[in-house]
């Protein structure tokens, strides 16, 4: 075990570039969010497109009740370019 761990460290130090993730990791990391230039993103990572549309609908209804509208639309993401920090 110990020798293995030591070997791994050496391998990491020898490679200049960090391991890059394949962009084509299908479906596993696919999430959906809603985004609009005025409303911004909902900040969620919806796991299904249905959930994203539901979120979009709720936002639209919320906007309508205040006399406005939501310019959000559903976007598909690979889950990496979205953070929950907002
Ligand atoms: Zn949402």
């Amino acid at each position: 075990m110990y020798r293995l761990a030591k070997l791994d460290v050496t391998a990491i130090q020898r490679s200049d570039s960090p391991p890059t993730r394949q962009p084509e990791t299908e479906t596993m990391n696919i999430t959906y969010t809603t985004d609009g230039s005025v409303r911004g993103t909902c900040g969620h990572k919806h796991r299904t497109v249905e959930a994203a549309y539901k979120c979009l609908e709720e936002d639209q209804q919320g906007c309508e009740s205040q006399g406005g509208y939501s310019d959000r639309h559903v976007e598909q993401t690979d889950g990496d370019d979205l953070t929950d920090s907002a």
Side-chain angles (χ1 to χ4, degrees):
M1 284 303 271
Y2 178 71
R3 290 183 76 184
L4 245 183
K6 214 177 172 188
L7 258 181
D8 283 343
V9 169
T10 315
I12 288 168
Q13 283 172 342
R14 279 177 59 195
S15 68
D16 293 333
S17 51
T20 50
R21 263 210 246 156
Q22 301 284 356
E24 55 211 354
T25 42
E26 327 221 341
T27 54
M28 278 284 292
N29 289 326
I30 298 294
T31 56
Y32 301 89
T33 189
T34 65
D35 194 15
S37 53
V38 176
R39 291 285 296 155
T41 177
C42 70
H44 301 141
K45 292 178 185 175
H46 298 288
R47 302 183 91 177
T48 64
V49 68
E50 286 87 1
Y53 272 108
K54 204 167 193 176
C55 181
L56 181 72
E57 249 172 54
E58 282 170 14
D59 188 59
Q60 285 172 341
Q61 285 165 8
C63 286
E64 271 171 30
S65 71
Q66 296 182 25
Y69 70 95
S70 171
D71 69 336
R72 278 180 184 168
H73 57 274
V74 172
E75 271 183 12
Q76 181 180 300
T77 77
D78 61 8
D80 277 341
D81 48 313
L82 246 200
T83 60
D84 291 327
S85 58

